[in-house]
Amino acid sequence: MKKHIFLATPHMSDEEYELAYVKQAFADNYVAPLGKNVDAFEQALSAYSGCDHVVALSAGTAALHLSVLLAGVKPGDTVFCQDLTFSASANCVVYAGAKPVFIDSERETWNMSPDALRKAFVRYGVPRAVIVVDLYGVPAKLDEIRALCREHGTVLIEDAAEALGSTYKGQACGTFGKYGAYSFNGNKIITTSGGGALLCSTAEDAAQALKLSTQAREPFPWYEHCQIGYNYRLSNISAGIGCGQMKVLPQRLAQKRRIFAAYQEKLANLPITMQPQESCAEANRWLSTFLLHADQRKQPMDIIRALGEADIEARPLWKPMHMQPVFRDCPFVSCEEPPVDEDLFARGVCLPSGTNLSDADMERICAALYHAF
């Protein structure tokens, strides 16, 4: 019986680095959201990203939510948000009582279109913040988007949940905005089981994020609260897993990129195009994704079902936010008709990309794909 091949799964180090940190946390009885592992994980992320102010949190979504709050987003405000993304990018706007305006993508990276963003500034004025995403680990056109935000005096938030290890012109993704967010969910390039991190450009913002993430408790002997806080801090146990995972991050990046390159080579004769990136960027290739050629009669779900019959998991691209029922009343800005995101969603497929895929697994996936056509 063939094993099931998942889209992406957690991959612990062969050296059991993670277990050593977790065992030490148990031995020290630091299993709550504080301890040496949390400090060490934040320091490792800071050294890796080049950001001096990192706060470890319970999820990437928590990092995005705190980013929005730190940006000063209030009920009734507008926030421009990338349209082709996981829903957390937009949900955090609604958590703050604000309204997202969704921005269509460009075809060179599948990320927020600077032209559509420019059009949104003209149509809707200056928002409280702009949330750009590095989709599937491919950096957006970050220089152009950052320049537009500076020109209009608005806060840029970089959702790099999928982009730990990706770079743009040599700079780490997650560090291009005033705030950045990483995710360490179970399917990410490294994992803490569940977790995330907020990257801040100032020590003051990081201190406020730490306060908000620990229920906004004031420095009194009793529990005193002057503002609403949240239970968003990462546990010392989860941070220990993260400390171990950081030791193998370079290896995981090399494996992800090798998987993408293998798909490019092995699937070259199929009517598909792999997700592009700009020449100045280096994607971590968190997920390897492709588009069916426009003249293809096959649909993404045809390919996904065929792989499923071979016990191989695949998925469509993220469904654009402006197409989601929950956001049906939110504005959407595009420079093309039909919109780029609708076309990408109609033709896109995410392939298995776990770093624990064997050569035999890759051969089996590629054979199943050829059979699907």
Side-chain angles (χ1 to χ4, degrees):
M1 181 178 178
K2 291 182 178 179
K3 73 172 185 179
H4 183 75
I5 297 177
F6 291 93
L7 188 76
T9 59
H11 189 181
M12 298 293 102
S13 65
D14 294 336
E15 296 83 358
E16 297 187 344
Y17 294 129
E18 301 87 351
L19 193 57
Y21 284 101
V22 171
K23 283 182 175 179
Q24 189 61 53
F26 271 87
D28 295 341
N29 200 31
Y30 275 110
V31 297
L34 77 167
K36 295 178 181 178
N37 288 344
V38 176
D39 296 337
F41 188 43
E42 290 174 339
Q43 290 163 7
L45 289 168
S46 178
Y48 187 84
S49 66
C51 176
D52 292 333
H53 313 293
V54 177
V55 182
L57 300 168
S58 58
T61 304
L64 289 169
H65 184 201
L66 293 184
S67 294
V68 167
L69 297 178
L70 292 169
V73 176
K74 301 289 193 303
D77 284 343
T78 296
V79 174
F80 294 169
C81 182
Q82 185 157 317
D83 184 55
L84 189 59
T85 182
F86 178 56
S87 62
S89 308
N91 288 346
C92 66
V93 177
V94 180
Y95 295 165
K99 185 171 185 178
V101 173
F102 295 114
I103 311 298
D104 200 11
S105 296
E106 34 77 11
R107 296 186 183 277
E108 290 80 11
T109 73
W110 306 358
N111 286 304
M112 181 182 284
S113 163
D115 290 338
L117 178 60
R118 191 175 290 108
K119 184 176 178 180
F121 278 116
V122 172
R123 181 177 295 177
Y124 294 102
V126 179
R128 184 68 67 178
V130 172
I131 300 175
V132 65
V133 180
D134 302 309
L135 189 73
Y136 301 122
V138 174
K141 294 184 175 180
L142 293 165
D143 274 357
E144 291 182 65
I145 291 168
R146 183 166 60 176
L148 281 168
C149 290
R150 286 175 174 170
E151 177 186 340
H152 292 278
T154 192
V155 175
L156 177 62
I157 298 170
E158 186 186 0
D159 180 350
E162 301 167 358
L164 178 65
S166 300
T167 60
Y168 184 82
K169 296 185 178 179
Q171 181 177 335
C173 286
T175 65
F176 283 84
K178 188 172 184 181
Y179 309 105
Y182 289 144
S183 171
F184 310 115
N185 190 32
N187 62 5
K188 294 299 189 293
I189 193 161
I190 64 167
T191 184
T192 57
S193 177
L198 172 63
L199 285 67
C200 299
S201 54
T202 68
E204 292 76 16
D205 278 337
Q208 178 65 2
L210 179 58
K211 179 181 178 181
L212 289 173
S213 69
T214 50
Q215 300 290 15
R217 184 182 177 187
E218 301 293 337
F220 289 88
W222 51 87
Y223 280 81
E224 179 102 356
H225 305 275
C226 298
Q227 59 189 134
I228 298 298
Y230 306 90
N231 185 18
Y232 280 171
R233 200 69 164 119
L234 187 68
S235 81
N236 199 50
I237 296 294
S238 295
I241 299 172
C243 288
Q245 289 271 281
M246 287 298 291
K247 291 180 179 293
V248 294
L249 177 56
Q251 179 183 339
R252 297 292 179 259
L253 286 167
Q255 291 168 316
K256 287 284 189 181
R257 290 165 179 155
R258 192 158 52 243
I259 289 167
F260 182 86
Y263 279 134
Q264 274 192 313
E265 178 185 354
K266 295 176 184 297
L267 304 179
N269 295 323
L270 291 180
I272 65 173
T273 301
M274 302 297 289
Q275 183 180 5
Q277 67 176 11
E278 291 196 288
S279 60
C280 63
E282 187 173 19
N284 66 6
R285 297 302 182 185
W286 168 58
L287 288 185
S288 292
T289 63
F290 70 74
L291 289 188
L292 294 160
H293 288 179
D295 58 359
Q296 261 297 300
R297 298 178 69 178
K298 294 282 186 181
Q299 301 296 314
M301 288 310 302
D302 297 327
I303 306 301
I304 291 165
R305 277 192 288 267
L307 290 174
E309 289 170 2
D311 246 351
I312 299 167
E313 182 183 11
R315 289 183 190 170
L317 299 191
W318 298 125
K319 185 175 181 179
M321 292 299 101
H322 83 274
M323 299 173 66
Q324 298 285 356
V326 70
F327 293 121
R328 66 167 61 91
D329 296 326
C330 295
F332 171 63
V333 181
S334 177
C335 292
E336 295 192 26
E337 188 56 47
V340 172
D341 285 347
E342 292 182 15
D343 179 50
L344 295 175
F345 178 62
R347 297 193 285 129
V349 175
C350 299
L351 293 171
S353 305
T355 51
N356 45 17
L357 287 174
S358 67
D359 290 343
D361 291 335
M362 290 294 296
E363 293 296 333
R364 184 176 144 202
I365 295 163
C366 292
L369 280 165
Y370 274 93
H371 182 73
F373 284 91

